[in-house]
Amino acid sequence: MKTLENRIMEMMKELTEQYSLDYGNGEICHQFDTIYWTVEAPNNATIQIDYSLKEFEDLNDDEEIIRYICKKLERSLYYFDADDEFEEIWSVEFGKHNNFRPSQFLNMLIEDEEYFMNIYKEL
Protein backbone atom coordinates (compact mmCIF):
# COMPACT_ATOMS: atom_id res chain seq x y z
CA MET A 1 0.00 0.00 0.00
CA LYS A 2 1.26 3.47 -0.90
CA THR A 3 2.01 5.94 1.84
CA LEU A 4 0.04 9.16 2.07
CA GLU A 5 3.02 11.22 0.94
CA ASN A 6 3.55 8.97 -2.09
CA ARG A 7 -0.11 9.29 -3.09
CA ILE A 8 0.04 13.08 -2.71
CA MET A 9 3.25 13.33 -4.73
CA GLU A 10 1.78 11.16 -7.50
CA MET A 11 -1.25 13.44 -7.68
CA MET A 12 1.01 16.48 -7.90
CA LYS A 13 3.01 14.83 -10.67
CA GLU A 14 -0.19 14.11 -12.61
CA LEU A 15 -1.33 17.72 -12.22
CA THR A 16 2.11 18.95 -13.29
CA GLU A 17 1.86 16.90 -16.47
CA GLN A 18 -1.82 17.64 -17.13
CA TYR A 19 -1.34 21.41 -16.90
CA SER A 20 2.24 21.61 -18.26
CA LEU A 21 3.74 23.08 -15.11
CA ASP A 22 7.34 21.94 -15.58
CA TYR A 23 9.78 23.48 -18.05
CA GLY A 24 12.96 22.15 -16.46
CA ASN A 25 12.78 23.66 -12.97
CA GLY A 26 9.61 22.13 -11.58
CA GLU A 27 9.93 19.57 -8.83
CA ILE A 28 8.21 17.73 -6.04
CA CYS A 29 10.16 16.74 -2.96
CA HIS A 30 9.37 15.43 0.49
CA GLN A 31 11.40 16.46 3.53
CA PHE A 32 10.39 15.57 7.05
CA ASP A 33 6.65 16.31 7.30
CA THR A 34 6.43 18.69 4.34
CA ILE A 35 6.00 18.23 0.59
CA TYR A 36 7.41 21.05 -1.53
CA TRP A 37 5.90 21.45 -4.99
CA THR A 38 7.53 23.84 -7.43
CA VAL A 39 5.47 24.63 -10.52
CA GLU A 40 6.89 26.48 -13.50
CA ALA A 41 5.67 28.53 -16.46
CA PRO A 42 7.24 28.53 -19.97
CA ASN A 43 9.61 31.46 -19.30
CA ASN A 44 10.82 29.73 -16.13
CA ALA A 45 8.94 31.70 -13.47
CA THR A 46 8.39 29.35 -10.54
CA ILE A 47 6.04 29.12 -7.60
CA GLN A 48 6.77 26.92 -4.60
CA ILE A 49 3.80 25.55 -2.70
CA ASP A 50 4.42 23.90 0.66
CA TYR A 51 2.10 21.23 2.03
CA SER A 52 2.45 19.96 5.57
CA LEU A 53 1.33 16.35 5.83
CA LYS A 54 -0.76 17.42 8.84
CA GLU A 55 -2.96 19.38 6.42
CA PHE A 56 -4.14 16.07 4.97
CA GLU A 57 -4.93 14.25 8.23
CA ASP A 58 -8.67 14.93 8.16
CA LEU A 59 -9.13 14.19 4.46
CA ASN A 60 -10.85 10.87 3.89
CA ASP A 61 -10.13 9.87 0.30
CA ASP A 62 -8.16 10.68 -2.82
CA GLU A 63 -10.92 12.95 -4.13
CA GLU A 64 -10.68 15.17 -1.06
CA ILE A 65 -6.89 15.14 -1.24
CA ILE A 66 -6.79 16.23 -4.89
CA ARG A 67 -9.35 18.97 -4.19
CA TYR A 68 -7.18 20.27 -1.37
CA ILE A 69 -4.01 20.15 -3.50
CA CYS A 70 -5.81 22.04 -6.30
CA LYS A 71 -7.21 24.63 -3.90
CA LYS A 72 -3.72 25.57 -2.71
CA LEU A 73 -2.38 25.46 -6.27
CA GLU A 74 -5.17 27.78 -7.45
CA ARG A 75 -4.44 30.29 -4.69
CA SER A 76 -0.73 30.29 -5.50
CA LEU A 77 -1.31 30.73 -9.23
CA TYR A 78 -3.81 33.51 -8.63
CA TYR A 79 -1.45 35.51 -6.40
CA PHE A 80 1.62 35.27 -8.66
CA ASP A 81 2.55 38.86 -9.50
CA ALA A 82 5.05 39.70 -12.24
CA ASP A 83 5.95 43.07 -10.72
CA ASP A 84 6.64 41.57 -7.30
CA GLU A 85 8.76 38.82 -8.84
CA PHE A 86 10.71 41.37 -10.86
CA GLU A 87 11.42 43.47 -7.79
CA GLU A 88 12.52 40.43 -5.82
CA ILE A 89 14.81 38.95 -8.47
CA TRP A 90 16.12 41.74 -10.70
CA SER A 91 19.62 43.13 -10.38
CA VAL A 92 22.12 44.39 -12.92
CA GLU A 93 24.21 41.28 -12.26
CA PHE A 94 21.20 39.04 -12.83
CA GLY A 95 20.52 40.77 -16.15
CA LYS A 96 24.12 40.44 -17.30
CA HIS A 97 24.33 36.80 -16.21
CA ASN A 98 21.14 35.90 -18.09
CA ASN A 99 21.63 38.34 -20.96
CA PHE A 100 18.32 40.12 -20.23
CA ARG A 101 17.40 43.76 -20.35
CA PRO A 102 14.99 44.79 -17.57
CA SER A 103 12.08 45.18 -20.00
CA GLN A 104 12.72 41.74 -21.51
CA PHE A 105 12.71 40.09 -18.13
CA LEU A 106 9.57 41.90 -16.99
CA ASN A 107 7.80 40.93 -20.22
CA MET A 108 8.75 37.29 -19.64
CA LEU A 109 7.33 37.48 -16.12
CA ILE A 110 4.13 39.08 -17.43
CA GLU A 111 3.76 36.25 -19.95
CA ASP A 112 4.27 33.72 -17.16
CA GLU A 113 1.73 35.52 -14.98
CA GLU A 114 -0.79 35.21 -17.83
CA TYR A 115 0.12 31.53 -18.21
CA PHE A 116 -0.44 30.89 -14.51
CA MET A 117 -3.75 32.79 -14.64
CA ASN A 118 -4.92 30.64 -17.56
CA ILE A 119 -4.12 27.48 -15.57
CA TYR A 120 -5.97 28.99 -12.60
CA LYS A 121 -9.04 29.48 -14.80
CA GLU A 122 -8.81 25.88 -16.06
CA LEU A 123 -8.73 24.45 -12.56
Side-chain angles (χ1 to χ4, degrees), residues 64-109:
E64 287 184 9
I65 292 170
I66 196 77
R67 266 199 310 266
Y68 184 79
I69 291 169
C70 287
K71 181 180 174 184
K72 255 183 121 163
L73 172 61
E74 285 175 340
R75 185 173 38 241
S76 298
L77 295 171
Y78 181 80
Y79 285 108
F80 179 85
D81 184 274
D83 290 315
D84 291 344
E85 286 293 305
F86 181 86
E87 289 174 355
E88 183 177 323
I89 296 171
W90 181 260
S91 70
V92 173
E93 294 80 21
F94 175 86
K96 286 181 182 178
H97 176 77
N98 291 288
N99 204 25
F100 294 146
R101 306 254 322 141
S103 59
Q104 290 172 299
F105 184 55
L106 182 56
N107 285 333
M108 292 169 67
L109 289 170

Side-chain angles (χ1 to χ4, degrees), residues 19-26 39-46 77 80 100 107-119:
Y19 292 102
S20 299
L21 290 168
D22 183 7
Y23 289 85
N25 297 305
V39 297
E40 180 182 23
N43 291 317
N44 305 114
T46 59
L77 295 171
F80 179 85
F100 294 146
N107 285 333
M108 292 169 67
L109 289 170
I110 290 169
E111 287 175 8
D112 283 352
E113 180 179 328
E114 291 168 358
Y115 184 82
F116 285 144
M117 190 53 67
N118 288 334
I119 301 296

Side-chain angles (χ1 to χ4, degrees), residues 37-50:
W37 185 18
T38 303
V39 297
E40 180 182 23
N43 291 317
N44 305 114
T46 59
I47 299 171
Q48 180 176 302
I49 311 158
D50 303 344

Side-chain angles (χ1 to χ4, degrees), residues 12-64:
M12 290 173 175
K13 183 178 182 201
E14 289 172 13
L15 288 167
T16 298
E17 291 171 2
Q18 180 179 352
Y19 292 102
S20 299
L21 290 168
D22 183 7
Y23 289 85
N25 297 305
E27 68 177 336
I28 304 162
C29 66
H30 173 234
Q31 293 180 337
F32 305 107
D33 70 338
T34 304
I35 297 175
Y36 301 94
W37 185 18
T38 303
V39 297
E40 180 182 23
N43 291 317
N44 305 114
T46 59
I47 299 171
Q48 180 176 302
I49 311 158
D50 303 344
Y51 296 83
S52 168
L53 291 176
K54 292 179 190 235
E55 297 173 58
F56 295 92
E57 286 177 352
D58 295 331
L59 304 179
N60 297 313
D61 57 30
D62 285 357
E63 189 175 312
E64 287 184 9

